[in-house]
Amino acid sequence: MVDVSTGFQRETYAANAIVFRAGEAGEAAYVIDQGCVEILLGPEGDQRRVDVLATGAMFGEIALLDGLPRSATVRTLVPTSLIRIERGHVEGLLRQADPVVQYLVKLLLGRVRSARTDGPPLLGLIPQGQDALSELDPSEQLHNAAVRTLSLAQSLSDGIRLGQLEVHYQAIVLLSDHAVAGFEALVRWRHPVLGLISPDEFIPLAEKTGLIHRVGEFVLRQAVADWAQLRPLCQAGTGHIPFMSVNLSAPELCAPGVVQRIQACLEAHQMAPEELHIELTETIIISSVEVVTHVVQGLRNMGVGVALDDFGTGYAGLDYLQTLPFSCLKIDRSFVERLPNGERSVQIVKSALALSDLLGLSTVAEGIEDAATADLLRSLGCTYAQGFHFARPQLCQALIGPGQVPSGEGRS
Ligand code: C2E
Ligand code: CA
Ligand code: CA
């Protein structure tokens, strides 16, 4: 079955099975997940082995790029599992790729083509360290990195399907009395072998491979579904609307119909739009101002809050703060952690708070790890705080069990 969101598919073959024959159309490339294959050249019945490829090797990729028929036959030697990468998917990725990457691919392809006409025939596949392309390859490391990325992407895709993602919730508190005001939903991947993997490690991969749409959809649904249980943990009568914050990546924000999908999810779980906050980083805004403006406006019209995450770490300038209707500003941890011993950081945080005040936004200071920083932020007029000093991200069950905000990451 093809995983439509990634263009990858795992295929298993018995020993001595043909993966493809010379002359066939080249619609896919393959990475050997487990096992090994032989590369055969020559007419049927009189074929000779020219190479053997083992786990981690990629083959058939040239056909992905130039669309010419296969020039060799590939047969398995032992039971083999392959990750198949569809041409359409690679073409889609290339269209979205950085222009430098597009240029490099074009350049390499041109060289491969001329090697094809000038030198010995290429196979329509690239055995490592054997042929014309590997001489031209800027580095074998690059190849290895690509193979690693592809197999990790395949495991992530499997992991999502097998329910290995978890959402942990970190409390956001009112600095005035430390009452819980809301939560931020933070995803983790509980890998069966590697253990709990941080989003910093797999979100970039998910963004690169298109898997982020499935990750994001899972997190949003889970967070909205868990809200009925988490909402009662937020202190009533504070005059603040309790909220659940969910992070959105650039590809998710730019996907058509994102506002409608969020609305449908809220309706399905009868969650008030005002109680959902979507967190966006400055980097997202720079990536596509027009789309972001449209989506942020759509979310705000619906009543959903929009927070500017990691404030101060991007390079977007301050103009967009005036034009985009944010409801909240999150001061990045890098400023907060230097607060206790840095007059400069105090000034930066003061400016952020003044700016926030001027624009009528609420402010969350992130990454508070001690009481001194919390006290300082309260005296500077910051309303909300988030950090290990108050609570670590926790599973919903762990949070609702003890009746108050527990500390310590993981399962109950
Ligand atoms: P973020 O949105 O800035 O999330 C806050 C991160 O700071 C979380 O890391 C949280 O565990 C950590 N943190 C909170 N308080 C403290 C503290 O006092 N000290 C320190 N040292 N760290 C603290 P986490 O959960 O590893 O998430 C990392 C990043 O991954 C997030 O940064 C966010 O950019 C991304 N991310 C997490 N979940 C999702 C998701 O569902 N979707 C998307 N698109 N991105 C996500
Ligand atoms: Ca965030
Ligand atoms: Ca942040």
Side-chain angles (χ1 to χ4, degrees):
M1 195 182 70
V2 178
D3 181 341
V4 284
S5 68
T6 62
F8 307 142
Q9 176 187 6
R10 200 189 295 277
E11 292 181 348
T12 48
Y13 293 83
N16 297 317
I18 299 290
V19 179
F20 57 71
R21 289 179 202 281
E24 287 178 0
E27 290 302 323
Y30 297 85
V31 173
I32 305 176
D33 188 30
Q34 263 175 2
C36 62
V37 300
E38 61 179 347
I39 314 302
L40 303 167
L41 270 188
E44 285 270 2
D46 186 25
Q47 288 180 319
R48 67 183 197 285
R49 178 193 289 178
V50 293
D51 204 357
V52 171
L53 303 176
T55 302
M58 179 183 272
F59 61 90
E61 63 266 49
I62 295 178
L64 270 194
L65 300 169
D66 67 10
L68 292 175
R70 306 285 192 194
S71 53
T73 296
V74 176
R75 185 166 62 195
T76 59
L77 290 169
V78 293
T80 296
S81 152
L82 300 174
I83 298 169
R84 180 184 159 104
I85 305 151
E86 297 298 327
R87 176 184 333 183
H89 181 67
V90 175
E91 285 172 351
L93 286 178
L94 269 179
R95 274 195 300 275
Q96 295 163 27
D98 188 290
V100 177
V101 175
Q102 292 188 16
Y103 170 75
L104 282 174
V105 170
K106 261 192 196 153
L107 191 79
L108 277 172
L109 193 55
R111 287 191 186 178
V112 170
R113 282 197 179 121
S114 67
R116 222 172 225 217
T117 9
D118 306 341
L122 266 173
L123 305 177
L125 41 82
I126 305 176
Q128 275 170 300
Q130 284 275 321
D131 57 42
L133 189 66
S134 61
E135 276 168 35
L136 303 166
D137 233 349
S139 93
E140 199 170 306
Q141 277 176 4
L142 207 65
H143 171 95
N144 292 343
V147 169
R148 252 198 326 276
T149 302
L150 287 166
S151 29
L152 199 62
Q154 179 64 48
S155 336
L156 178 58
S157 174
D158 291 345
I160 300 170
R161 189 168 44 82
L162 297 170
Q164 291 168 3
L165 292 189
E166 293 178 357
V167 183
H168 290 210
Y169 300 96
Q170 186 177 27
I172 297 174
V173 305
L174 273 170
L175 268 169
S176 54
D177 58 1
H178 300 185
V180 177
F183 291 92
E184 177 172 5
L186 296 159
V187 68
R188 275 99 182 83
W189 175 14
R190 196 171 289 274
H191 192 281
V193 178
L194 303 173
L196 204 62
I197 304 180
S198 131
D200 280 334
E201 288 180 61
F202 69 87
I203 292 283
L205 172 78
E207 288 176 348
K208 256 193 277 176
T209 54
L211 283 167
I212 191 66
H213 299 287
R214 285 169 61 199
V215 174
E217 194 180 315
F218 166 77
V219 175
L220 179 71
R221 276 207 202 152
Q222 188 69 51
V224 169
D226 284 342
W227 182 232
Q229 288 177 287
L230 292 172
R231 194 181 187 281
L233 301 187
C234 300
Q235 188 118 324
T238 55
H240 299 264
I241 300 173
F243 61 90
M244 170 66 76
S245 253
V246 174
N247 294 282
L248 226 69
S249 290
E252 294 179 81
L253 196 82
C254 296
V258 60
V259 176
Q260 289 75 6
R261 269 204 303 282
I262 292 174
Q263 185 167 27
C265 186
L266 289 169
E267 283 171 6
H269 291 88
Q270 297 171 331
M271 178 172 176
E274 293 72 24
E275 296 183 351
L276 179 71
H277 289 187
I278 295 294
E279 298 195 3
L280 309 175
T281 61
E282 281 180 286
T283 330
I284 298 183
I285 296 160
I286 310 165
S287 72
S288 179
V289 180
E290 274 171 33
V291 179
V292 173
T293 308
H294 179 73
V295 174
V296 172
Q297 195 66 61
L299 289 170
R300 297 294 288 130
N301 289 346
M302 207 205 308
V304 170
V306 180
L308 179 57
D309 202 0
D310 303 343
F311 179 67
T313 59
Y315 303 94
L318 296 175
D319 302 355
Y320 61 88
L321 264 180
Q322 275 186 306
T323 49
L324 289 171
F326 290 110
S327 52
C328 175
L329 204 110
K330 294 190 81 172
I331 304 176
D332 190 64
R333 187 169 84 221
S334 54
F335 303 108
V336 173
E337 69 190 2
R338 287 188 224 128
L339 264 187
N341 36 22
E343 185 51 31
R344 222 175 120 81
S345 305
V346 173
Q347 289 310 328
I348 292 172
V349 171
K350 269 188 182 169
S351 313
L353 288 168
L355 188 66
S356 204
D357 207 33
L358 191 73
L359 298 167
L361 313 180
S362 61
T363 319
V364 179
E366 296 187 292
I368 293 155
E369 295 190 352
D370 54 64
T373 308
D375 291 344
L376 181 56
L377 279 161
R378 192 189 53 224
S379 71
L380 293 175
C382 183
T383 317
Y384 299 105
Q386 181 178 1
F388 295 167
H389 174 61
F390 301 105
R392 290 199 177 236
Q394 293 246 287
L395 282 168
C396 181
Q397 300 92 291
L399 282 162
I400 56 179
Q404 47 175 267
V405 185
S407 54
E409 183 128 0
R411 287 175 189 277
S412 49

